[in-house]
Amino acid sequence: MDSLIAASARALAAGDALGALKRVALRDDPPALALRGIAMAQLGEHPRARELLRRAARGFGAHEELARARCVVAEAEVAMAMRDFGVSPRALAAAADTLDAHADRANAMQARLIAARRLLLLGRLEAATAALAPLDARELSPSLAAVAELTAAELALRSLRIVPARSALARAHEAATRARVPALLAEVAEARAALERPAARRLIAGGEQALRLDEVAALLASDALVIDACRRGVGTGEAWRPLARRPVLFALARALAEAWPGDVDRETLIAVAFNTRRPDETHRARLRVEIGRLRALVAAQAGIEASARGFALRPRDARDVVVLAPPIDGEQASLVALLSDGAAWSTSALALALGASQRTVQRALADLETGGRVRSIGRARAQRWLAPPLAGFTTILLLPAALPIE
Amino acid sequence: MNNTATRKKDKMQAVPRAAEIVREYGPFGGAANVHGVTHDGQRVWAATGAKLVGFDPASGEATRTLDCVCDAGTAFDGTYLYQIAEARIDKIDPASGKVLASIPTPGQGSDSGLTWAEGSLWLGQYRDRKIHQIDPVSGAVLRTIESNRFVTGVTWVDGELWHGTWEGDESELRRIDPADGAVLERLEMPRGAGVSGLESDGADLFYCGGGGSGKVRAVRRPRAGKS
């Protein structure tokens, strides 16, 4: 709006962040602060960018709520790139409403897209789906549309809806091509490659078979009785029982399924379920109780019959029994498989699901975090663990759409 | 209201009227912004960032384009164009597009509007809400008028000093008293139609730069005695 702001914005639009900075480096009026913030963000100086954008937002007057809202959106995006989720989502929602009220649809959509991505990264998948639903990709600029479709694809993949995920990725690819942003195209390619990688193993008599995500989804949709050691659950199609909080029942189910159609002797069952090698009468009594619970749980799909030496699984209607396991063995692989549902897990919930001690789980998580294969939010007791996003889009800043100048 | 405590500026504050937009021009050749406008008697010039576009106000056709840096206000002294570029004012030969001389701006780049009158350049300093009268040769500030709104464009016509203002979504054309800055007349632009640059055609029209809309809008000038 004034000459150096216009010159600086011109440099920024041409991709010359340093040139933009040079022109307004010494100025502290709100439009200059906003431009400095955006230039800093594009140079990867996120903490500084955030501070500048925050000061810019505070500096704009009562007449300039549109400019202020744009700064809030830019700041939220920088915060997300920093993986800082401590900011209040309310300010972002209010900014989106303000932008809508001023007919700035593009930036209002961007604000809502940031809110949806934030929920996704926090593992709040239902809320993220609800936030994403009203966004119409056709109204978005190509780069925003690509990010929206990537977000939709990620949400679909987390709940193993492979067909919608594939079509969202196809649309993301198309939008990224139109946007001509190489980094976005790379994200899409990476997400598509994730679909082709082995996601689980099917344990079969005397061996195993690697499965892609779509094959897992097909298996889960079939009428086979699936004992899933990735997600820790048992079920057939729609009838799905999560057993992450009931490790004893899951261990029994898995042992029975692996032996199917044979039976498993009591000592072995006691060993896997109660982690003991010297069973006594109390263990036998507990085993009967737990088998009774499991029997009730899977009654619709299978019976559990007592045999001379133990128990055997008897699926109804001549169903197949399938055991799914994480793509590789080990504590870490099991953790990654559990987190692949995209939800936020506490350390104690993970320890419970895996039947391991919290200390063991913490050690494994720390190793995985160093390798970038899991991430955490929150601290101390509020700490939660999440799988990294399939698409790394969170680090791509689309800030130029939020330029705070007219 | 006869509140004696009211400050003079507020007491003089005119009742706003809606600006009558006669015509819209542009956007010009893909330029996303209009930062300044001036009128050379035949053509209206629009500063679009890297190009000064001269168009015929009758047809709306661009008839001349100069490649020069143009980030804010534009003025015409009868022979030369003056153009704010970054933190300086370039004196430009409209025939060749050559920059003949440059002076620093008093606002060091926080300047927006520019006009020529009575041998001086008049320059709006946007967020500082000021209008400076400056010497076109040295750039020295001769006089400063304070407004109470952001100043985006300035123009003189028939002894009247008008300036454009743009704060957020609200834009007006204002006639102010050059002696004390009191607001004498207010023309309210429609919501969202910002004013970045202002020039009178010397008769019945104002040309207003439309900022990020990339347009130039012609607004009817109210004449004393009729409205």
Side-chain angles (χ1 to χ4, degrees):
Chain A
M1 299 257 274
D2 67 38
S3 48
L4 273 185
I5 294 291
S8 176
R10 193 150 43 82
L12 198 56
D16 180 9
L18 286 172
L21 264 182
K22 191 183 79 189
R23 289 174 171 84
V24 290
L26 299 176
R27 283 177 51 174
D28 279 337
D29 53 298
L33 287 171
L35 275 169
R36 285 167 62 192
I38 288 167
M40 280 298 194
Q42 292 189 343
L43 294 171
E45 298 281 331
H46 293 156
R48 180 79 180 128
R50 235 185 123 182
E51 185 197 323
L52 289 164
L53 286 165
R54 201 176 274 176
R55 278 172 64 198
R58 273 202 305 266
F60 280 115
H63 287 285
E64 301 169 288
E65 53 173 4
L66 183 60
R68 180 186 304 165
R70 288 171 181 166
C71 286
V72 170
V73 174
E75 191 205 320
E77 186 159 25
V78 175
M80 199 165 62
M82 291 167 70
R83 305 288 156 80
D84 179 348
F85 301 103
V87 280
S88 142
R90 230 179 270 162
L92 187 59
D97 290 343
T98 303
L99 291 162
D100 260 337
H102 289 262
D104 184 352
R105 292 284 295 153
N107 283 317
M109 297 286 248
Q110 173 152 4
R112 302 219 155 87
L113 186 53
I114 291 171
R117 287 158 69 198
R118 180 177 179 277
L119 289 167
L120 171 61
L121 288 171
L122 285 172
R124 297 176 51 193
L125 305 183
E126 279 178 26
T129 309
L132 195 62
L135 296 186
D136 187 346
R138 284 166 302 182
E139 285 189 50
L140 300 171
S141 67
S143 48
L144 282 188
V147 174
E149 295 293 1
L150 271 173
T151 312
E154 172 120 18
L155 280 167
L157 282 179
R158 294 302 189 188
S159 50
L160 281 173
R161 287 178 293 119
I162 304 301
V163 175
R166 273 192 197 286
S167 49
L169 282 175
R171 289 192 301 271
H173 178 78
E174 188 269 332
T177 310
R178 273 191 296 137
R180 294 193 203 161
V181 179
L184 269 179
L185 272 169
E187 302 285 8
V188 178
E190 171 60 28
R192 286 182 140 179
L195 276 176
E196 304 306 323
R197 276 186 221 122
R201 286 174 301 158
R202 176 183 184 165
L203 304 185
I204 42 181
E208 58 190 44
Q209 173 197 0
L211 299 181
R212 291 191 314 264
L213 214 46
D214 53 349
E215 293 168 326
V216 173
L219 201 54
L220 291 172
S222 73
D223 74 345
L225 175 63
V226 178
I227 286 80
D228 183 350
C230 301
R231 293 192 296 160
R232 305 270 152 169
V234 174
T236 309
E238 295 295 303
W240 185 255
R241 295 254 175 220
L243 289 180
R245 299 193 153 273
R246 311 194 62 177
V248 171
L249 295 191
F250 184 77
L252 290 174
R254 179 174 178 172
L256 289 171
E258 282 184 14
W260 180 82
D263 62 352
V264 188
D265 62 79
R266 286 183 183 80
E267 285 66 33
T268 308
L269 287 174
I270 286 168
V272 298
F274 308 132
N275 224 0
T276 173
R277 300 236 162 257
R278 273 179 273 160
D280 56 26
E281 271 313 302
T282 62
H283 287 113
R284 285 172 166 262
R286 273 179 68 197
L287 178 64
R288 272 198 300 280
V289 172
E290 299 291 357
I291 288 284
R293 285 179 178 151
L294 184 61
R295 189 178 275 140
L297 216 90
V298 300
Q301 291 98 26
I304 298 174
E305 285 175 6
S307 63
R309 57 188 197 117
F311 295 94
L313 198 58
R314 293 282 170 257
R316 309 218 185 280
D317 310 325
R319 279 190 175 99
D320 258 349
V321 173
V322 176
V323 180
L324 278 182
I328 50 169
D329 276 320
E331 205 91 70
Q332 295 195 347
S334 300
L335 280 170
V336 171
L338 267 180
L339 292 172
S340 69
D341 68 355
W345 291 70
S346 66
T347 310
S348 57
L350 288 169
L352 182 63
L354 296 183
S357 76
Q358 287 209 34
R359 190 69 205 101
T360 307
V361 168
Q362 260 160 0
R363 242 193 313 269
L365 285 169
D367 286 350
L368 286 169
E369 195 176 28
T370 312
R373 293 172 62 204
V374 302
R375 63 203 172 87
S376 69
I377 49 173
R379 286 283 165 266
R381 290 171 69 92
Q383 189 173 34
R384 293 291 179 274
W385 297 91
L386 292 138
L390 293 172
F393 61 79
T394 51
T395 52
I396 291 185
L397 290 164
L398 299 165
L399 288 172
L403 274 183
I405 45 162
E406 305 291 338
Chain B
M1 259 207 288
N2 281 326
N3 187 347
T4 48
T6 314
R7 282 167 51 234
K8 189 183 176 198
K9 263 184 196 172
D10 296 334
K11 198 167 62 188
M12 298 290 285
Q13 188 96 284
V15 182
R17 284 181 293 164
E20 186 192 339
I21 296 175
V22 179
R23 186 165 172 187
E24 290 191 346
Y25 302 94
F28 304 96
N33 290 285
V34 173
H35 300 302
V37 282
T38 194
H39 188 254
D40 67 6
Q42 297 177 313
R43 272 183 285 254
V44 176
W45 292 89
T48 64
K51 280 185 167 59
L52 257 175
V53 179
F55 66 89
D56 174 10
S59 69
E61 291 297 314
T63 53
R64 189 138 169 66
T65 301
L66 304 178
D67 285 321
C68 52
V69 180
C70 41
D71 295 317
T74 316
F76 183 70
D77 69 357
T79 311
Y80 301 109
L81 289 166
Y82 292 85
Q83 176 60 55
I84 302 179
E86 305 207 352
R88 60 176 199 273
I89 301 171
D90 291 336
K91 182 177 177 180
I92 298 164
D93 177 1
S96 66
K98 241 188 202 149
V99 175
L100 305 173
S102 291
I103 51 174
T105 63
Q108 278 137 25
S110 62
D111 319 273
S112 54
L114 193 66
T115 195
W116 173 274
E118 309 297 330
S120 294
L121 282 169
W122 301 73
L123 176 140
Q125 209 169 306
Y126 176 49
R127 296 184 75 89
D128 301 316
R129 304 178 167 95
K130 283 177 184 159
I131 298 169
H132 298 295
Q133 179 187 4
I134 59 176
D135 183 309
V137 178
S138 68
V141 175
L142 307 174
R143 179 151 77 106
T144 297
I145 302 164
E146 304 251 351
S147 174
N148 57 0
R149 281 303 192 97
F150 293 168
V151 179
T152 56
V154 281
T155 193
W156 280 92
V157 56
D158 293 342
E160 299 175 358
L161 176 59
W162 287 79
H163 81 78
T165 166
W166 186 355
E167 293 198 28
D169 238 11
E170 296 165 14
S171 250
E172 288 182 2
L173 307 185
R174 297 178 150 209
R175 178 160 74 88
I176 62 171
D177 186 333
D180 61 7
V183 181
L184 305 176
E185 208 163 350
R186 299 169 61 190
L187 301 180
E188 239 173 17
M189 294 294 279
R191 203 176 147 83
V195 176
S196 62
L198 178 66
E199 186 72 287
S200 146
D201 70 346
D204 284 338
L205 291 179
F206 287 121
Y207 293 105
C208 309
S213 70
K215 290 178 181 172
V216 172
R217 298 187 176 92
V219 172
R220 191 173 305 288
R221 175 160 76 100
R223 293 297 197 108
K226 54 176 184 174
S227 57

